[in-house]
Amino acid sequence: MPIYRAPIDHVMFLLRDVFHWDQYAQLPGFADVPLDVVEAILQENAKLCEHVLQPLNASGDREGCQRQSDGSVTTPKGFKDAYQAYVEQGWIGLAAPTAYGGQGLPYALSSVVMEFVCSANMALSMYPGLTMGAVAALLTHASDAQKQLFVPPMIEGRWSGTMNLTEPHCGTDLGLLKTRAVPQADGSYRITGQKIFISAGEHDLTENIIHLVIARIEGAPEGTKGISLFVVPKILVAADGTLGEPNSVSCGSIEHKMGIHGNSTCVMNYDEAQGWLVGEANKGLAAMFVMMNEARLAVGVQGLSQSEVAYQNAVAYAKDRLQGRALSGAKMPERAADSIIVHPDVRRMLLDIKAINEAGRALVLWTALRVDVSHRSADAKAIQNAQDHLGLMTPIIKAVLTDYGFDNAVKAQQVFGGHGYVGEWGMEQFVRDARIAMIYEGANGIQALDLVGRKLPKDGGRAIVAFFTEVKDFITLHHTNADMKPYLEPIGIGLNHLQQATMWFMQNAMTKPDNAGAGAYDYLHLFGHVALGFMWAQMAQTALTLKEQQPEAMETKLVTARYFMERILPDTATRLARITTGATTMMALPADQF
Amino acid sequence: MPIYRAPIDHVMFLLRDVFHWDQYAQLPGFADVPLDVVEAILQENAKLCEHVLQPLNASGDREGCQRQSDGSVTTPKGFKDAYQAYVEQGWIGLAAPTAYGGQGLPYALSSVVMEFVCSANMALSMYPGLTMGAVAALLTHASDAQKQLFVPPMIEGRWSGTMNLTEPHCGTDLGLLKTRAVPQADGSYRITGQKIFISAGEHDLTENIIHLVIARIEGAPEGTKGISLFVVPKILVAADGTLGEPNSVSCGSIEHKMGIHGNSTCVMNYDEAQGWLVGEANKGLAAMFVMMNEARLAVGVQGLSQSEVAYQNAVAYAKDRLQGRALSGAKMPERAADSIIVHPDVRRMLLDIKAINEAGRALVLWTALRVDVSHRSADAKAIQNAQDHLGLMTPIIKAVLTDYGFDNAVKAQQVFGGHGYVGEWGMEQFVRDARIAMIYEGANGIQALDLVGRKLPKDGGRAIVAFFTEVKDFITLHHTNADMKPYLEPIGIGLNHLQQATMWFMQNAMTKPDNAGAGAYDYLHLFGHVALGFMWAQMAQTALTLKEQQPEAMETKLVTARYFMERILPDTATRLARITTGATTMMALPADQF
């Protein structure tokens, strides 16, 4: 059976020592949770993850969700009780406003909880996860009355939320959507259409499900300019919050997927279902993007979470499995063979994962703290900087951490040899579950286009310039420290490659947009390398200052940082080489020559 | 439903134009199959693949194999008839000696058939595939009487074969095996032990199954020096070939795997089963390696095969799916959107796959022709060269083509967005099936160690020097051809990186073997890049000479060759950088710090 232990020590190192949690105390919510309280909260969450959620991960995968003949969907055995424990402990509303029943604590804390919960049971974590995304969209765009009506029961976990965008013929290109909304005399709308790939679209965990649905109001413009957002409850809700008749929305079928079997992925049919406009008419896509940006960060965390749990299991196996002898001579001569962790090639796989996980977690927390600044600061300049950072980092965190999440799950599986391919060890589930995160909330190629096409040029490149400056300032600040040389020099080279690539786009993509499209994916990963490397440079700097107090743990950080610099970061050169070849060869073939 | 079309044109280009099939006519078996006959045979095989095997691929995956309470195993619906069609057309014995009922045709032809069959239905192809491997081992090591008894019914397909190496506690390190063989008065042995992960270990396709089993004869030395090979029929066979009593060998359970559900992967229990020694006592591992080397080439072909079928389906989807507009302006203004093949990032994924597949197929055929030379030539020098080539290329073909086979199946799946994650499009099955090929027949990390630890230093580096010379001679021969510059320059750089890496091992791995282990995997892929690039250089040279006759097809080859040179080959620089960092950082952490 797979294991999982929440990596609290690694999180505390980041919050306390690298990102200086105490410096945020002036932001609302932070003063309530000094570091000792943070640690206590995480320990509480870890208990739930390790003892309640994780033991249901494999069984939930095997059993899957079942659609009954009446259209209802049954979740796997144990999910109901586990969900109840989750909501009773208040995890859904951890960072939600107190005015709606939330606890108002930092989003950064909530993002750590997301990682733990998702490592323990990704399929189960998606039910409350979707609710949190829907709450975020309602809080930003809904009317006060809508917020009062829908948000508190969602934060309580009595109702859950969904996000309905995709239709059979459109996913990326939502301008093609066909779902129609017809205005009614009472101010509501009748929604008709079919939505597919709806995570948690129907299930038995909550008494109601609040669907957020995009549709086109009769007569609205074609394309993305005619899309509106609606709230469509599964069970209609009276003004006082009591439940009434079922709405005419139903689950037509559930998808048979590669993974996340414990989460019900539904085809949802809206047949003149009653819905209410959220925000302005024809501004639905913008509203949905609020939800999607939160969701994209959360999906990046899913990538990290699967990589982490797969890593932990691979380490345990590599220490336990005896096979062969170390190249440098037997390390366990008293046993029939050495444990396979003595082999460099096994360490290569483990360190590849470890180096990405710890930097990925840092990137998530660094960014999550800016989410808090953007929502809670009183300083307009700080808010703008934080928003710039978020815009830039969202596609990177989403795509880079999910690409690595999957690759790392595959590497961890490889450590097990044939045992990784069979179900009983649980490794192949991590691979199957991790795979979806590269696809949903905007496939990773779309994230790359978002980065290059929107985020780079936005506000005259203000966000990217700020990032370059931040990295350069760090290098300048520490360059006289000789111990920092193994970490700063590689970052300087990587940053230079990133700047060259950025310059190349400025010079070559305006006149020929295909040059941007052809290089976008490599650029995203080149950026990801530099961002992750910058995290390692910061962690190394912190580790050097703490080495006397915690020699073993900090030496491990420094070794892992060097591993990243020596073995992972150098890939920036290849990425740059690819980007600068441009689009000519890529676009040369007519379609029939593929 | 997924599609598949056997890529006969690509194969004929390689056999006819690049590798000059006609020049092999003096080798036994080749004169029987001039190119027009080869093409006719491939067309016959394509019919079987496209109309019989491929339609059972998805249903076989869904249904899987079932172990009955009596220990028998039922294959999925339709497999029996498909297998019958396969054997009746004589595909098992295509390249086997005529003395045992085979057709004696070239192995190279057989390797093409393997690719097609495996693209169509990997799980099903493994039943005859294992038989062919077992036949190869028997032909090399068994006594004449054993060959006469077992081989003809196996080539007929009435009996199948298996390979029993792995035990619960040992896979890579077979010296640890516990299965025991006790000699009997009649010259046979009683075999007792448990073997796991036995592909096609029990099934309902044939009337008998011939298990090749490694075990330790009572009193034999510990470790790999005390391993012997035995033939253990499921049903005992009289001297005249008639079937007798069941042997005491049984399938204890079948594995629940990530993929290849249509193939039964068995736990096999030997309980004083009657077996006969094959070859010399205590020389079993060497005998098994004959089977494993053939099997490793075949597994490389499996990687290629899954990449090819996944590619074909991704291309079809990319042409069909309408979503968004080309960055350079609408390409299908009469429709609601352009097909996604207009997008550079979709082309990136498709061309990444196409460039690997065509070069991978060339690498397989180039090597398969050397298999034929090694078995059929009368020229001792030619045989030695061919064997050198095989030793060097086997780990590369196995590991590089299976790593890419999986990565490419994942890329092809990504082209489908969410539709790639659900079962109905079949893409997720290609990913799950392709995954095993990176693991079995020696995990890919083991292939890397085989390359660096055994194949490089063997015979004073004769094989690697011959490869360097072959590539350099090609560059020298064509360097005055200005049209070849875009293909020769990158190969020259890649070769230089490979030579530097080789030199680095010579200087740094003797005194510290961990330096070899730490760089082995990158070296294997660096070598793979140069080998695949050399294939593209040869194909480009051929395409330039044929461009007037076949302008469109040859221009496509040239574009794809440039894509490889511009976007894939440059990775050699990163690989070299990693290798030369050595093992220090990788080996620095104590096990408890992972």
Side-chain angles (χ1 to χ4, degrees), chain B residues 466-538:
Chain B
F467 174 80
F468 290 160
T469 305
E470 194 166 355
V471 180
K472 277 188 283 191
D473 286 352
F474 181 87
I475 294 174
T476 306
L477 185 63
H478 297 287
H479 89 281
T480 54
N481 180 350
D483 292 341
M484 280 298 287
K485 202 175 160 196
Y487 315 102
L488 294 183
E489 270 192 5
I491 282 299
I493 294 168
L495 183 67
N496 181 266
H497 291 157
L498 181 61
Q499 288 174 311
Q500 285 184 57
T502 310
M503 189 70 78
W504 191 89
F505 281 138
M506 286 170 62
Q507 291 165 344
N508 295 281
M510 303 290 240
T511 49
K512 190 174 167 190
D514 279 337
N515 276 329
Y521 200 77
D522 282 299
Y523 184 84
L524 177 129
H525 274 282
L526 167 47
F527 204 143
H529 272 66
V530 175
L532 293 170
F534 182 42
M535 296 300 106
W536 269 122
Q538 291 183 64

Side-chain angles (χ1 to χ4, degrees), chain B residues 311-393:
Chain B
Y311 171 75
Q312 291 186 15
N313 282 278
V315 167
Y317 188 84
K319 289 180 187 170
D320 192 55
R321 176 80 170 174
L322 305 178
Q323 205 81 178
R325 289 294 183 192
L327 295 171
S328 52
K331 293 287 174 287
M332 301 175 171
E334 74 288 1
R335 310 189 69 163
D338 292 338
S339 66
I340 62 172
I341 205 166
V342 304
H343 301 309
D345 195 63
V346 171
R347 286 173 169 251
R348 170 186 65 80
M349 294 187 271
L350 295 178
L351 283 165
D352 276 355
I353 310 176
K354 181 177 172 66
I356 295 293
N357 286 357
E358 295 184 26
R361 184 176 296 115
L363 192 61
V364 167
L365 288 181
W366 187 49
T367 301
L369 286 165
R370 309 249 174 142
V371 173
D372 282 315
V373 171
S374 79
H375 288 164
R376 301 173 191 222
S377 175
D379 174 351
K381 182 75 190 155
I383 293 174
Q384 184 191 298
N385 289 346
Q387 285 175 342
D388 284 354
H389 176 98
L390 288 177
L392 198 62
M393 287 297 160

Side-chain angles (χ1 to χ4, degrees), chain A residues 166-174 176 196-197 255-260 311 315 319 321-328 336-337 341-345 347-348 350-351 354 406-407 409-411 413-414 417-424 428 431-436 438-439 443-446 448-449 513-514 516-522 552-553 555-556 559-560 562-563 566-568 570-574 577-579 581-583 585-594, chain B residues 166-174 176 196-197 255-260 311 315 319 321-328 336-337 341-345 347-348 350-351 354 406-407 409-411 413-414 417-424 428 431-436 438-439 443-446 448-449 513-514 516-522 552-553 555-556 559-560 562-563 566-568 570-574 577-579 581-583 585-594:
Chain A
T166 306
E167 301 184 3
H169 63 289
C170 71
T172 301
D173 186 359
L174 291 169
L176 301 173
I196 64 169
F197 301 154
E255 302 287 357
H256 299 280
K257 310 184 297 290
M258 186 180 187
I260 51 168
Y311 171 75
V315 168
K319 288 179 188 170
R321 175 81 170 172
L322 305 178
Q323 205 80 178
R325 289 295 183 191
L327 295 171
S328 53
I341 204 164
V342 304
H343 302 309
D345 195 63
R347 286 172 169 252
R348 169 187 64 81
L350 296 177
L351 283 165
K354 182 178 173 64
F406 178 73
D407 285 353
V410 171
K411 269 183 192 156
Q413 181 189 28
Q414 189 74 11
H419 298 279
Y421 197 66
V422 296
E424 69 186 288
E428 59 94 35
V431 172
R432 289 185 290 102
D433 286 357
R435 181 67 184 89
I436 187 59
M438 299 161 71
I439 298 173
N444 286 356
I446 301 297
L449 292 176
D514 279 338
Y521 200 76
D522 282 299
E552 222 177 8
E555 177 60 21
T556 297
V559 167
T560 314
R562 285 201 299 278
Y563 185 90
E566 290 171 3
R567 296 227 164 218
I568 299 178
D571 190 41
T572 55
T574 307
R578 283 202 205 115
I579 291 164
T581 63
T585 304
M586 202 178 271
M587 302 309 287
L589 295 183
D592 65 3
Q593 287 297 304
F594 278 83
Chain B
T166 305
E167 300 183 5
H169 63 289
C170 71
T172 299
D173 186 359
L174 292 170
L176 301 174
I196 64 169
F197 302 154
E255 302 286 358
H256 298 280
K257 309 184 298 290
M258 184 179 188
I260 52 166
Y311 171 75
V315 167
K319 289 180 187 170
R321 176 80 170 174
L322 305 178
Q323 205 81 178
R325 289 294 183 192
L327 295 171
S328 52
I341 205 166
V342 304
H343 301 309
D345 195 63
R347 286 173 169 251
R348 170 186 65 80
L350 295 178
L351 283 165
K354 181 177 172 66
F406 178 73
D407 285 353
V410 171
K411 269 183 191 155
Q413 181 188 27
Q414 190 75 11
H419 298 279
Y421 198 66
V422 295
E424 69 184 289
E428 58 95 34
V431 172
R432 289 185 290 102
D433 287 356
R435 182 66 183 91
I436 187 58
M438 298 160 72
I439 297 172
N444 286 355
I446 300 297
L449 292 177
D514 279 337
Y521 200 77
D522 282 299
E552 222 178 9
E555 178 59 22
T556 297
V559 167
T560 314
R562 285 200 299 278
Y563 185 90
E566 290 172 3
R567 296 227 164 218
I568 299 177
D571 190 42
T572 55
T574 307
R578 283 201 206 116
I579 291 164
T581 62
T585 304
M586 201 178 271
M587 302 310 288
L589 295 184
D592 65 3
Q593 287 296 306
F594 278 83

Side-chain angles (χ1 to χ4, degrees), chain B residues 82-123:
Chain B
Y83 177 79
Q84 272 312 312
Y86 188 94
V87 300
E88 277 164 20
Q89 292 178 18
W91 298 112
I92 292 181
L94 195 69
T98 51
Y100 299 97
Q103 299 179 55
L105 298 180
Y107 174 83
L109 181 59
S110 175
S111 78
V112 176
V113 167
M114 265 196 293
E115 183 203 321
F116 292 180
V117 168
C118 189
S119 281
N121 194 321
M122 179 164 158

Side-chain angles (χ1 to χ4, degrees), chain A residues 269-322:
Chain A
N269 294 319
Y270 293 84
D271 182 18
E272 303 208 334
Q274 199 171 9
W276 288 265
L277 185 65
V278 176
E280 282 181 65
N282 301 337
K283 296 278 167 71
L285 213 52
M288 213 54 165
F289 267 114
V290 171
M291 185 161 172
M292 285 181 67
N293 276 332
E294 293 249 340
R296 284 174 177 182
L297 287 179
V299 171
V301 172
Q302 288 184 335
L304 167 63
S305 76
Q306 296 308 291
S307 181
E308 172 67 28
V309 67
Y311 171 75
Q312 291 187 15
N313 283 278
V315 168
Y317 188 83
K319 288 179 188 170
D320 192 54
R321 175 81 170 172
L322 305 178

Side-chain angles (χ1 to χ4, degrees), chain B residues 33-114:
Chain B
V33 277
L35 280 163
D36 57 332
V37 178
V38 165
E39 190 161 7
I41 289 173
L42 294 181
Q43 279 162 349
E44 209 50 44
N45 185 259
K47 277 188 217 162
L48 180 78
C49 291
E50 295 167 9
H51 303 301
V52 178
L53 305 183
Q54 197 270 341
L56 296 173
N57 193 44
S59 59
D61 177 64
R62 276 195 301 274
E63 187 183 338
C65 292
Q66 308 296 331
R67 181 178 175 277
Q68 311 300 331
S69 53
D70 65 355
S72 67
V73 172
T74 314
T75 54
K77 204 173 148 208
F79 272 38
K80 255 183 144 159
D81 290 344
Y83 177 79
Q84 272 312 312
Y86 188 94
V87 300
E88 277 164 20
Q89 292 178 18
W91 298 112
I92 292 181
L94 195 69
T98 51
Y100 299 97
Q103 299 179 55
L105 298 180
Y107 174 83
L109 181 59
S110 175
S111 78
V112 176
V113 167
M114 265 196 293

